[in-house]
């Protein structure tokens, strides 16, 4: 049972809804909203208190694309936490390819860098007790009916993973919609590697599926955003079946993943092959690279090249 939970990117979208759903569980005594903006975090906290009738929310300010910011945030956390949901991220927007001081581009730094530092620091200080959930996406195994190709790395060496993180893997053709799947793959493999290193902590990877009602489409390039908001989400996906769901449904996957013992450490759970909604299944049954422990450890090593 998780009595205390920290959620990154908890001021809006899936993160805020996760804070709401988890706060309503009877065992939950403390929910930490890890956000980069104090004003947005205060608004979200007030909304959550109103919606749940609970006064169990705390704010910790930190930017997950910035190592120092995350380290400072960890210093503010005095009591150990049972579970954390590494949710902040997405496609980031126009600055996705920009190199941050860590050497990772902003897309990778936001989805991975600060999350790895957060977990490393909490573990070092004995402040993380039971479970870690890394938020991934069906962009990793791909979605054939939509023409979305699976991640296909040639060697999955440390160098190749590092090239994904600094963007050189993509040469001059950095397409954020493609790079996103590769970045989530690196983060996923890191979490699976951690599951073997820390057998007493549940390290699980979950995709929320294609979820309506978040700000995610806002960071897409304009033509794609227009198509998604006006055509794909309201018309095409519902017609196809098993391709989209409400935010409550997407977030229930996080709540189940982190709380329910049926979901096991060291597994990436997401939709069935070719789907973006419905039951969650182990992705390694059809995307077999996930099972390769050398690849998993290579992802971990590549990430740590950027952490000083
Ligand atoms: N929506 C989907 O269909 C879908 C599908 C698969 C996976 N996902 C994943 O689910 C997660 C949440 O996505 P969402 O749809 O809820 O997106 P969202 O509505 O855009 O929310 C993203 C959250 O991350 C925060 N964030 C972004 N950069 C940050 C940084 N550097 N430091 C701290 N917080 C930061 C944002 O804070 P600000 O408000 O300050 O920007 C916001 O709270 C992402 O990891 C995304 O890749 C989403």
């Amino acid at each position: 049972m998780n009595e205390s939970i920290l959620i990154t990117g908890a001021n809006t979208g899936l993160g805020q809804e996760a804070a709401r759903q988890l706060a309503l569980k009877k065992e939950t005594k403390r929910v930490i909203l890890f956000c980069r903006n104090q004003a947005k975090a205060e608004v979200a906290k007030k909304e959550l208190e109103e919606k749940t009738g609970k006064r169990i929310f705390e704010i910790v300010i930190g930017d997950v694309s910035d190592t120092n910011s995350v380290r400072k945030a960890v210093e503010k956390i005095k009591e150990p936490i049972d579970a954390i949901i590494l949710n902040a991220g997405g496609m980031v927007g126009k600055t996705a390819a920009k190199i941050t001081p860590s050497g990772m581009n902003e897309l990778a730094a936001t989805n991975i860098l600060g999350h790895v530092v957060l977990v490393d620091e909490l573990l070092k200080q004995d402040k993380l007790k039971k479970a870690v959930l890394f938020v991934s996406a069906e962009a990793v195994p791909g979605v054939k009916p939509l023409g979305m190709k699976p991640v296909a790395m040639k060697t999955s060496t440390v160098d190749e993973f590092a090239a994904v993180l600094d963007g050189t893997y993509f040469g001059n053709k950095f397409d954020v919609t493609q790079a996103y799947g590769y970045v989530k793959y690196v983060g996923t493999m890191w979490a699976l590697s951690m599951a073997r290193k820390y057998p007493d902590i549940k390290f699980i990877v979950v995709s929320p599926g294609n979820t309506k009602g978040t700000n995610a489409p806002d960071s897409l390039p304009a033509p794609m955003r227009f198509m998604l908001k006006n055509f794909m989400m309201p018309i095409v996906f519902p017609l196809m079946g098993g391709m989209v769901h409400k935010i409550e449904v997407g977030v229930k996957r996080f709540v189940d993943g982190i709380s329910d013992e049926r979901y096991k450490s060291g597994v990436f759970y997401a939709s069935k092959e070719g789907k973006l909604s419905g039951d969650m299944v182990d992705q390694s049954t059809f995307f077999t690279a996930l099972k390769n422990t050398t690849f998993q450890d290579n992802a971990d090593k590549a990430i740590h090249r950027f952490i000083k």
Side-chain angles (χ1 to χ4, degrees):
M1 281 206 302
N2 300 314
E3 293 188 357
S4 51
I5 297 141
L6 178 148
I7 304 159
T8 65
N11 59 286
T12 188
L14 291 155
Q16 190 186 12
E17 172 61 12
R20 186 190 72 81
Q21 289 191 20
L22 285 161
L24 291 174
K25 285 179 88 74
K26 62 176 182 311
E27 66 266 25
T28 308
K29 299 197 165 55
R30 187 171 160 232
V31 179
I32 300 174
L33 313 173
F34 187 106
C35 307
R36 61 177 158 181
N37 180 296
Q38 182 81 41
K40 284 189 193 177
E42 297 286 356
V43 172
K45 180 176 178 236
K46 194 161 174 282
E47 283 172 6
L48 285 163
E49 287 174 347
E50 282 165 12
K51 280 184 191 161
T52 63
K54 304 226 173 171
R55 298 280 180 277
I56 57 172
F57 302 96
E58 294 167 26
I59 293 169
V60 169
I61 296 299
D63 181 332
V64 292
S65 68
D66 177 347
T67 309
N68 291 333
S69 167
V70 173
R71 290 201 174 115
K72 276 188 203 147
V74 173
E75 292 310 319
K76 304 241 163 65
I77 300 167
K78 302 293 178 205
E79 299 291 316
I81 302 160
D82 285 337
I84 62 178
I85 300 184
L86 306 174
N87 162 80
M91 292 196 195
V92 171
K94 286 187 185 139
T95 54
K98 203 176 138 210
I99 299 298
T100 67
S102 67
M104 281 191 199
N105 62 30
E106 217 174 284
L107 179 71
T110 306
N111 284 279
I112 297 176
L113 179 72
H115 287 145
V116 172
V117 173
L118 179 62
V119 170
D120 283 352
E121 291 297 320
L122 288 171
L123 286 171
K124 213 190 294 171
Q125 299 178 28
D126 202 19
K127 290 179 185 167
L128 175 56
K129 296 296 180 194
K130 294 183 182 164
V132 176
L133 185 152
F134 178 76
V135 175
S136 191
E138 279 82 358
V140 177
V143 188
K144 215 173 175 186
L146 298 178
M148 196 193 287
K149 290 191 183 133
V151 167
M153 292 188 50
K154 290 176 196 76
T155 55
S156 291
T157 55
V158 180
D159 282 345
E160 200 180 20
F161 280 121
V164 169
L165 298 172
D166 67 17
T168 52
Y169 182 85
F170 306 101
N172 294 329
K173 294 186 204 143
F174 185 87
D175 169 359
V176 72
T177 59
Q178 184 206 11
Y180 174 72
Y182 282 73
V183 162
K184 287 292 192 189
Y185 174 57
V186 185
T188 297
M189 294 302 260
W190 161 78
L192 302 184
S193 166
M194 293 295 278
R196 284 184 293 105
K197 269 189 212 145
Y198 293 91
D200 296 337
I201 295 183
K202 177 176 183 173
F203 273 88
I204 188 170
V205 183
V206 172
S207 169
N210 188 22
T211 306
K212 286 188 274 191
T214 82
N215 300 323
D218 296 344
S219 49
L220 284 169
M224 213 176 274
R225 180 169 67 232
F226 180 83
M227 282 290 285
L228 190 70
K229 278 188 166 174
N230 298 293
F231 190 57
M232 301 301 286
M233 283 300 220
I235 303 167
V236 178
F237 292 146
L239 278 175
M240 289 174 82
M243 286 299 186
V244 68
H245 48 220
K246 289 195 278 190
I247 192 162
E248 294 84 349
V249 179
V251 168
K252 186 167 182 299
R253 289 179 170 201
F254 297 169
V255 175
D256 290 347
I258 204 130
S259 322
D260 190 327
E261 285 176 12
R262 282 176 305 155
Y263 296 101
K264 303 291 178 205
S265 190
V267 178
F268 171 21
Y269 294 97
S271 311
K272 288 181 182 160
E273 194 170 9
K275 295 287 179 193
L276 284 167
S277 179
D279 292 341
M280 284 203 290
V281 297
D282 176 351
Q283 301 296 289
S284 73
T285 54
F286 51 91
F287 187 78
T288 52
L290 293 168
K291 290 184 189 156
N292 189 312
T293 54
T294 306
F295 294 177
Q296 294 170 3
D297 292 346
N298 286 347
D300 180 46
K301 285 180 194 146
I303 293 166
H304 282 93
R305 277 192 187 172
F306 297 84
I307 300 174
K308 308 267 160 9

